[in-house]
Amino acid sequence: LQFTATLSANVRNQRENHLYNQFYGGSVGSEGAVSVSHYREFGVNQQYMLTYKKKIATNHNIDLFAGYESYNLKLQDLGGSNTKLYNPFVGELNNAIQTPPSVYSYTNEYSLVGLLARAQYDYKEKYFVSASYRRDGSSRFHPDSRWGNFGSIGGAWLISKENFMSSVNWVDLLKLKASYGSVGNDNIGNYYAYLDQFNVSNSNGDYSVSFAYKGNKDITWETSYALNAGVEFELFGSKLNGSVEYFHRNTVDQLYNQPVPVSLGYSSIPMNIGSIVNRGVELELNGTLLKTDRILWTANFNATSYQNEITDLADTPKAAGGIKGTNYIYRIGGSLYNSYLRKWAGVDPQTGKSIYYIDPDKGDMNTTDDYSKAAQSDLGSTLAKVYGGFGTSINAYGFDLSIQLSYQLGGKLYDGSYEQLMHQGDDPGNNWSMDILKSWTPENPSTKYPRLDASIDTYQKQSSRFLTSSDYLSFNSVMLGYTLPKNLIKSLKLSNARIYISGDNL
């Protein structure tokens, strides 16, 4: 039986002085300006843990755990500013005399409390069962909705320890495992998010109150339910090991600052608006390719493929097509990563203008060169089909070489940098991409680059034209080294010496 108590604190103090001179720039007319602020952050974390482990009758092992933890955070900010400096080189408030000065202060507090427990059992280190439970309370939610209950259950079977596997010499370890559980999230971004918050200001000597933040007493924990199932293995005298795992995570009651008409007096309200599902497969492999007394060559590979799907949008108007943003769209059946842009149809060979499909989502595939008449379209998910990494390491005769790479295949991204480099020439201070030399001219009508016209910028505007592949292969790290022989460095009283060269992001 073991008891552990941990108490930790973090304190951060930050002071800023800004002096704006009266000789040139924006503060000349106000005879200089000064602003001073002080920010203080104080957090305390407490954990009290009780564990109990016991072996019963040789074959039974139990591991019990219970605990309590709390986190309390206080953020305080104080500041002020003023103009008309007496001494132009002193950045303090009492050096400025304009009346009245501008001052502010605020305090934000956040508290999280958790009760947690876990039980683990195994029989002959062959059959494993575990269960966990935690109850969390967050100050961001109303007292009626403050507490959330979360838990998990899991099991594993070490098949390689069964008698019927004793004759399978090439299998060193084989384990099946599965788990199901839930976890909570209170990250709504504001403290006391269930409370209305106001700005108070002076209006001709009286109070003027305006909304700063609209609270919602009905919001509560966002919860993710996760199913994981997989297999772990070691084969051929531990020359090859790895795992394959399937995951399915359903997140419900998502926390979201839902936009609302500003005519209400505020622009958003925190809500639990919907559900999403993430599902996919992960593969990991590690292997020894060659092993002798003087040479060791190993390699590794991993890959992940997953899909994201919105399954519910709560009370948002489904008939209107979901939640639409500048370049994204959230709707049932889509993903959080769907691109929402005008669909580019190429270049009109007769005029050199960019043309766009009018409304592909409604089946109108006619084209127009009037950007304002083309509707934005759901262009599907930008998520990669698969991503991961691979590498190798070789040690031979004192030399060592290691290489690690990462990759991504089948995804898309919006190339805003390229869009800026393909402008129409209306701002001559901006650089151009070399592709601008391939722009449409009467002599070059068959091109995918529209004509240049500094008076009209709609030919190069935001559209699927700049939605490009996100595939990549990256050399994350490369290292080459040599370890000097012991007999050479012994006289220098060194136990080890190695010379190496390395590079990152090559």
Side-chain angles (χ1 to χ4, degrees):
L1 183 66
Q2 181 176 343
F3 174 73
T4 304
T6 304
L7 178 66
S8 60
N10 65 284
V11 181
R12 184 176 128 198
N13 284 282
Q14 177 178 304
R15 178 181 171 89
E16 293 187 11
N17 289 65
H18 294 265
L19 177 64
Y20 307 92
N21 73 75
Q22 58 185 252
F23 306 112
Y24 60 87
S27 296
V28 172
S30 59
E31 299 182 46
V34 60
S35 67
V36 180
S37 63
H38 182 266
Y39 173 81
R40 182 173 187 265
E41 176 181 311
F42 182 63
V44 177
N45 191 48
Q46 301 178 71
Q47 290 184 324
Y48 306 98
M49 308 297 180
L50 193 65
T51 58
Y52 178 71
K53 297 181 180 181
K54 187 171 180 62
K55 182 182 290 288
I56 302 173
T58 306
N59 294 324
H60 304 271
N61 298 288
I62 60 172
D63 184 347
L64 305 178
F65 165 86
Y68 167 86
E69 62 181 1
S70 69
Y71 181 64
N72 295 280
L73 177 66
K74 177 179 282 190
L75 306 177
Q76 294 176 298
D77 205 357
L78 171 68
S81 62
N82 208 350
T83 58
K84 200 171 184 180
L85 304 182
Y86 173 74
N87 186 328
F89 306 107
V90 176
E92 298 292 348
L93 289 176
N94 63 356
N95 182 50
I97 63 171
Q98 191 67 43
T99 303
S102 174
V103 296
Y104 70 91
S105 70
Y106 70 81
T107 297
N108 273 339
E109 294 181 295
Y110 168 58
S111 296
L112 180 69
V113 173
L115 303 170
L116 47 153
R118 185 192 67 217
Q120 297 183 141
Y121 166 80
D122 74 80
Y123 176 67
K124 290 186 176 182
E125 296 183 341
K126 189 190 314 184
Y127 310 105
F128 302 83
V129 178
S130 66
S132 68
Y133 167 78
R134 66 179 297 142
R135 178 172 171 82
D136 290 314
S138 172
S139 63
R140 291 175 177 171
F141 305 131
H142 188 273
D144 293 342
S145 308
R146 180 158 293 167
W147 291 91
N149 298 294
F150 314 100
S152 68
I153 186 169
W157 176 24
L158 197 54
I159 303 174
S160 53
K161 282 200 170 185
E162 297 290 355
N163 292 332
F164 61 79
M165 292 292 294
S166 60
S167 61
V168 186
N169 298 325
W170 55 276
V171 176
D172 305 299
L173 181 145
L174 182 61
K175 179 196 283 188
L176 290 178
K177 58 182 182 179
S179 65
Y180 179 78
S182 62
V183 64
N185 173 32
D186 67 342
N187 186 18
I188 189 59
N190 287 294
Y191 302 96
Y192 305 124
Y194 66 94
L195 291 176
D196 291 344
Q197 298 165 34
F198 301 87
N199 287 321
V200 182
S201 57
N202 184 350
S203 178
N204 297 321
D206 208 346
Y207 299 108
S208 175
V209 180
S210 60
F211 256 116
Y213 178 85
K214 178 61 179 174
N216 179 3
K217 72 181 185 65
D218 295 324
I219 60 170
T220 187
W221 288 89
E222 175 183 303
T223 306
S224 293
Y225 299 91
L227 169 67
N228 291 71
V231 58
E232 297 178 11
F233 55 86
E234 289 186 11
L235 310 175
F236 312 116
S238 298
K239 290 182 179 179
L240 176 65
N241 68 78
S243 64
V244 181
E245 187 164 332
Y246 169 79
F247 61 90
H248 184 285
R249 172 171 289 190
N250 182 27
T251 303
V252 302
D253 297 328
Q254 280 195 285
L255 292 169
Y256 180 70
N257 285 304
Q258 172 71 38
V260 296
V262 293
S263 58
L264 294 176
Y266 46 90
S267 59
S268 65
I269 181 172
M271 294 180 66
N272 298 100
I273 69 156
S275 305
I276 62 169
V277 170
N278 288 296
R279 53 179 171 265
V281 177
E282 294 178 323
L283 169 67
E284 181 179 356
L285 296 173
N286 301 281
T288 301
L289 304 181
L290 178 64
K291 185 177 182 180
T292 69
D293 292 339
R294 304 294 299 272
I295 301 174
L296 177 61
W297 182 15
T298 62
N300 63 81
F301 173 82
N302 68 78
T304 298
S305 177
Y306 87 100
Q307 294 178 322
N308 173 274
E309 181 184 359
I310 298 172
T311 55
D312 183 37
L313 283 177
D315 296 328
T316 56
K318 302 177 180 62
I323 301 172
K324 298 175 181 178
T326 304
N327 52 21
Y328 67 86
I329 180 170
Y330 300 154
R331 62 184 179 189
I332 294 175
S335 81
L336 293 176
Y337 307 97
N338 277 29
S339 183
Y340 191 54
L341 299 163
R342 288 170 172 83
K343 191 170 183 179
W344 191 62
V347 176
D348 186 333
Q350 302 301 318
T351 64
K353 296 180 179 181
S354 282
I355 52 178
Y356 307 89
Y357 294 106
I358 293 178
D359 197 348
D361 285 355
K362 294 183 179 179
D364 189 347
M365 301 302 291
N366 293 311
T367 60
T368 177
D369 59 15
D370 187 341
Y371 187 82
S372 64
K373 292 182 179 179
Q376 288 180 258
S377 175
D378 185 349
L379 300 177
S381 175
T382 58
L383 281 176
K385 303 299 182 184
V386 62
Y387 65 91
F390 60 94
T392 187
S393 178
I394 302 174
N395 290 269
Y397 301 99
F399 289 94
D400 60 272
L401 172 66
S402 62
I403 302 173
Q404 193 64 41
L405 303 95
S406 62
Y407 67 91
Q408 178 171 291
L409 298 171
K412 298 178 181 179
L413 61 81
Y414 190 84
D415 195 344
S417 298
Y418 181 66
E419 178 193 9
Q420 293 176 358
L421 292 172
M422 292 298 290
H423 60 89
Q424 286 293 303
D426 50 323
D427 186 354
N430 286 339
N431 233 341
W432 260 316
S433 164
M434 290 290 288
D435 288 343
I436 210 72
L437 299 175
K438 306 173 187 176
S439 297
W440 181 95
T441 65
E443 296 76 28
N444 181 34
S446 299
T447 178
K448 61 179 181 180
Y449 305 98
R451 68 188 240 189
L452 287 176
D453 188 339
S455 64
I456 304 175
D457 66 354
T458 58
Y459 306 156
Q460 313 265 32
K461 278 196 170 181
Q462 193 175 69
S463 71
S464 64
R465 175 187 171 194
F466 301 106
L467 193 65
T468 187
S469 169
S470 64
D471 295 356
Y472 70 83
L473 176 65
S474 172
F475 277 82
N476 292 349
S477 63
V478 179
M479 179 177 288
L480 175 64
Y482 177 68
T483 302
L484 299 176
K486 299 285 186 181
N487 57 355
L488 290 181
I489 62 174
K490 186 177 180 180
S491 60
L492 300 175
K493 297 184 178 181
L494 296 176
S495 60
N496 188 65
R498 178 172 173 264
I499 303 169
Y500 70 90
I501 183 172
S502 67
D504 295 325
N505 296 321
L506 300 180

